[in-house]
Every structure is written in C-alpha cells, then in structure tokens.
Amino acid sequence: MKGRYLRPAATGAALSLTLATLAGCGTVSGLTGDNEVTLRVVAADYGDNPQNSSAGYWKNLASSFEKDNPGVHVEVSVYSWSEVDAKVAAMVKAGKAPDIAQIGAYADYAEAGKLYTADELLSVTTEADFLAPLADAGKVKRVQYGMPFVASTRLLFYNTKLLGDAGIIPKDGSTPWQPKSWADIEAAAKKLKAANVPTPFALPLGREEAQAETMMWLLAGGGGYTDNEEAYSIDSAENVKSLEFLRDKMVGQQLTGPVEPAKLDRQAAFDAFTRGEVGMLNGHPTLLKQAAGKGVKFGMVAMPTIDGTDHSTMGVADWVMAFKNGHKKESGKFLDHLFSAKNVTTFTNQYDLLPVTTSGYRAMAGSTGGSAAQLKTFLTALPSARLYPVGKKSWAGVSEDVKQNIGKTVAPGGQPAKVLEEIAVAARKADGER
C-alpha cells in the first residue's frame, strides 16, 4: 500500500532498531548459539515524528515474545514508508531477505515462491480470526500469503463552520449534512465557492495517493479497478463517466481550489483542511487527530455515489509476510503473538487505525474511550469494503501508472477514456489477461 491511505507522514530517516542495543536483551544475528534462532523483522513506521515512531511498539512486542520463547531472539528494523519497500526489495535481491516483513505489497514475492503460506505459519485460531475481505485480499491464486496488519476505510469529511456559513447546514451545527449523490457534492461546492471558501472540494490526485482517491470515485461511480471476477476493468464505461464528472463538474467549474488536482498530495489537502481552507475532502482516520488538534470542527459521512444508490466503499490494508528462510516454526509463533487481540488493539489505538481481526474488531466496537466513537464510523464499513487488487503481481506497476497519469484526465481538455484505456492495456498485459 504505497501512499498515505493508511499511514501518517513518513519520518524521513530510517529508524533502524536492534533489541541488542535498545533493550539489552537481543543478540547480533549470526552470533547465537547452536540451539538459538534470530528472527530478522523489517517494519514500516506509522509515526510522523520520532516521539510517536512505531519503533517503540515493535521493541515491546519483540521483548514480550522473547520472554515467552527462550532461545528465539528478534531483531527489528523500522524504516519510513518512503523507503521500507525498497529496503526489503534490496534485501531479497541480495539473497538476504528478512524472516518477516511488514510492508505495502506481497504478491510479487508470493509469485516468485519466496513466501510461506498463512496456513503454514499460523495457528488455526489466528488464521480464522482475520476479517474475511482482508484475508481474501491476501491471496494469490486462492492461497493466502499476505497477512493484513492494519486497515482503514474512507469517509467524506466536511468543515461544519464553512458549510454553516455557506447555508448548507444550520450554523449551530444542529443538523448534520447528509449528502447522497454527487449532485449534492456539486451543489454544496458551488455554495462554498460563492462564500469565498478557497477550496470547496479538495481533490488530491498527486503522486502521494492518487490511486486511492481515484478508487474512491470509481467505486462510488459503480466501477472500480477490477470487475466481480477480479479481472481488470480500468477502462470501463462507468470509470470513464466518473472521471468526466470530476473534469466537467468539479474541476471545470473551479470547485477544487487553486492547486490543480494532479499536483495536490493527500497530506497537503489534509493540512489545508486543518487550516480551515477546505470545505470537503475524502479522508482516512489519521485526519481525526490532525483536525481536532487544530480545533477544526468537522463532520463525516459515507462517500456519496453517482446516483445516490449504494455502491462498494474502499478499504485499504498493509501487509505482513514471512520469507522462506528456514524459520517457519519461529516465524509462525511470532506472528501468532503479533496478531493476538491485545497486540492488535495496542497498535490500532495508538495510530487511530482499524483492526484486521474479528477479535480486534469486536474490541474496538465495544470501546467507548478516546476517539472510539468517531472510529466506529470507519469500522462499520470495513467488513464489506473492497480493497486494491493487491493479489495481482502487476498491481504495483498499475498503481504507479495511475499516480503518474490519472491527474491528466480531470484537467481541462483531459481525455479520461484515452488515459484509462492506456493504463488498462498495460495492466492486462502485465497480468497476462486478454
């Protein structure tokens, strides 16, 4: 899952950790005794500064695992999202793959025969605990290799003050906004523009997360990247119509602000929202704390659809995988520990993300403290959400193609049908489809 659909800002520099130096309880790889095993784990950082780095979570997780499993040592390296996938790829290429990696994609490694399957690693209880759509998204040719780590869904955020001032909702916020169709979004954006709101609707189709923003609109338009048989349908008539709406009704009527969508990244849009400059935008749970921290009053609703009828919503997940390094038993034990209800909820609560397991889902659904009430709105959509086609080895390339080109489709004079066809042809070729 390259991009910012789940994760907060990358920290920039790599935060390389070994428990030998941080906790004094680990050992350097290669210096363990004859009956000892060292697991090398690489993970991504979900923090946006050194103080809330994921390094602390992994340190505590590994320490508690080592305590219960004498003779198994764990070395964890935590890197920013801007480099973690490349780090793992370089390790694999050099013949030094980690035992476990928590990164953005798994399918290419599975296709190359480098990963253990989930049922080779996990206890029956752990394997059965994954939410069904997330477990299915972790499969290649109906076999699960990718284990979901954390998940997220998306909602439409709106600034209650700006909508109140524009006459869209009562100024006192007594009645929430309840848009159902894209016509409702267009009408509200026009009122916000008339009220001199700098960006009525932020449409981030810049490189950071264009593939996510695009997928939200495609699904709400009755389409998507794939059809019901999971074959690519990028150039479908529904998808073309969705992008034409954005080109003609949103960008064409100057309702998307001063920065053209192709140059607007997700975090830049979030920052503008927290400054009170954006009326509406699609967002993930990370925006909850960012907006609240700046004192912005906001509401959240399900993404309206093209015609007001229900369509699939988007979900996203990051992945854990175990490489075939001869440590299947030890890796499996560590993953069972990682996916325990306690450890799942510890991580999701820290970063306002969604659990990937039924036990974690129930724990969050029953919680009342902190931002639990707001997160439940995201949580409700998770069991039936559609995810990126990450089980396709071609997805990483398709995602990059979307990032580079989709912004052109909504610019004045853009050609959605032509661009989508070009992306689709390349996608089908890469995936071996006709």
Side-chain angles (χ1 to χ4, degrees):
M1 287 174 50
K2 298 292 284 184
R4 297 185 64 90
Y5 27 90
L6 260 186
R7 49 193 79 109
T11 58
L15 294 168
S16 183
L17 298 167
T18 62
L19 296 184
T21 58
L22 284 179
C25 59
T27 61
V28 178
S29 181
L31 299 182
T32 54
D34 292 341
N35 296 320
E36 296 181 335
V37 169
T38 295
L39 290 179
R40 292 181 299 121
V41 180
V42 174
D45 194 1
Y46 288 74
D48 58 2
N49 61 69
Q51 284 68 47
N52 70 355
S53 167
S54 305
Y57 169 82
W58 286 100
K59 174 185 173 181
N60 293 334
L61 182 80
S63 295
S64 60
F65 176 78
E66 288 182 336
K67 183 178 179 180
D68 294 336
N69 294 272
V72 182
H73 305 280
V74 182
E75 294 178 350
V76 185
S77 297
V78 177
Y79 297 100
S80 69
W81 271 111
S82 63
E83 60 184 344
V84 66
D85 286 356
K87 288 282 187 182
V88 172
M91 293 175 187
V92 174
K93 186 176 181 179
K96 299 179 179 179
D99 293 288
I100 294 170
Q102 183 268 300
I103 51 177
Y106 66 86
D108 48 351
Y109 299 125
E111 288 274 359
K114 296 183 180 297
L115 302 181
Y116 291 116
T117 63
D119 62 2
E120 289 178 305
L121 296 160
L122 304 175
S123 68
V124 173
T125 302
T126 300
E127 188 177 6
D129 200 26
F130 290 124
L131 293 170
L134 301 178
D136 288 343
K139 295 178 181 179
V140 173
K141 298 177 181 177
R142 300 184 180 180
V143 177
Q144 186 177 359
Y145 296 90
M147 291 157 277
F149 178 60
V150 285
S152 177
T153 54
R154 299 303 170 85
L155 294 173
L156 179 66
F157 285 68
Y158 62 89
N159 183 309
T160 55
K161 182 181 186 304
L162 295 181
L163 266 66
D165 290 345
I168 300 166
I169 60 174
K171 280 195 172 187
D172 61 5
S174 58
T175 304
W177 190 41
Q178 296 180 315
K180 297 298 182 183
S181 70
W182 290 356
D184 295 331
I185 291 180
E186 179 188 355
K190 287 180 178 178
K191 290 183 179 180
L192 288 165
K193 181 183 178 183
N196 297 316
V197 173
T199 302
F201 194 106
L203 184 64
L205 293 178
R207 280 191 49 80
E208 185 179 11
E209 209 192 28
Q211 82 288 355
E213 184 72 20
T214 300
M215 184 172 175
M216 283 182 266
W217 286 97
L218 299 187
L219 289 174
Y225 289 125
T226 56
D227 59 23
N228 291 333
E229 303 300 321
E230 293 305 312
Y232 279 122
S233 58
I234 297 168
D235 54 349
S236 70
E238 292 83 359
N239 290 347
V240 172
K241 188 175 181 180
S242 295
L243 293 178
E244 287 177 342
F245 168 82
L246 293 177
R247 180 194 64 190
D248 299 337
K249 301 298 185 180
M250 300 303 291
V251 179
Q253 297 187 90
Q254 299 179 332
L255 302 178
T256 54
V259 181
E260 61 182 280
K263 296 180 179 179
L264 181 63
D265 283 335
R266 173 74 62 199
Q267 189 56 49
F270 279 11
D271 292 344
F273 186 80
T274 64
R275 292 194 301 267
E277 299 169 1
V278 173
M280 304 172 280
L281 83 170
N282 292 313
H284 50 66
T286 300
L287 186 54
L288 294 174
K289 282 185 177 178
Q290 293 182 16
K294 297 291 186 178
V296 174
K297 302 297 183 183
F298 60 89
M300 301 178 297
V301 294
M303 173 69 167
T305 63
I306 189 170
D307 55 6
T309 62
D310 289 340
H311 292 304
S312 298
T313 58
M314 188 184 84
V316 288
D318 290 329
W319 302 95
V320 173
M321 62 218 70
F323 287 86
K324 292 181 177 179
N325 288 348
H327 296 155
K328 179 172 68 174
K329 178 181 177 182
E330 295 81 5
S331 292
K333 285 185 176 181
F334 183 77
L335 291 169
D336 281 336
H337 182 63
L338 171 68
F339 288 114
S340 68
K342 176 184 177 182
N343 289 325
V344 167
T345 54
T346 294
F347 192 88
T348 55
N349 288 344
Q350 182 175 350
Y351 295 105
D352 278 350
L353 297 170
L354 304 182
V356 297
T357 59
T358 301
S359 58
Y361 181 95
R362 289 171 177 166
M364 179 173 283
S367 63
T368 57
S371 56
Q374 291 175 316
L375 282 173
K376 286 177 186 178
T377 310
F378 290 92
L379 190 68
T380 301
L382 185 58
S384 59
R386 287 188 64 178
L387 282 74
Y388 297 123
V390 290
K392 292 178 175 289
K393 64 181 180 181
S394 58
W395 169 244
V398 174
S399 177
E400 183 63 26
D401 206 356
V402 171
K403 290 179 182 181
Q404 290 183 5
N405 296 295
I406 207 70
K408 304 173 187 175
T409 66
V410 302
Q415 298 178 285
K418 181 176 183 293
V419 173
L420 288 179
E421 182 182 12
E422 291 171 350
I423 296 173
V425 169
R428 291 179 183 127
K429 182 178 179 180
D431 208 55
E433 298 178 2
R434 293 183 177 180

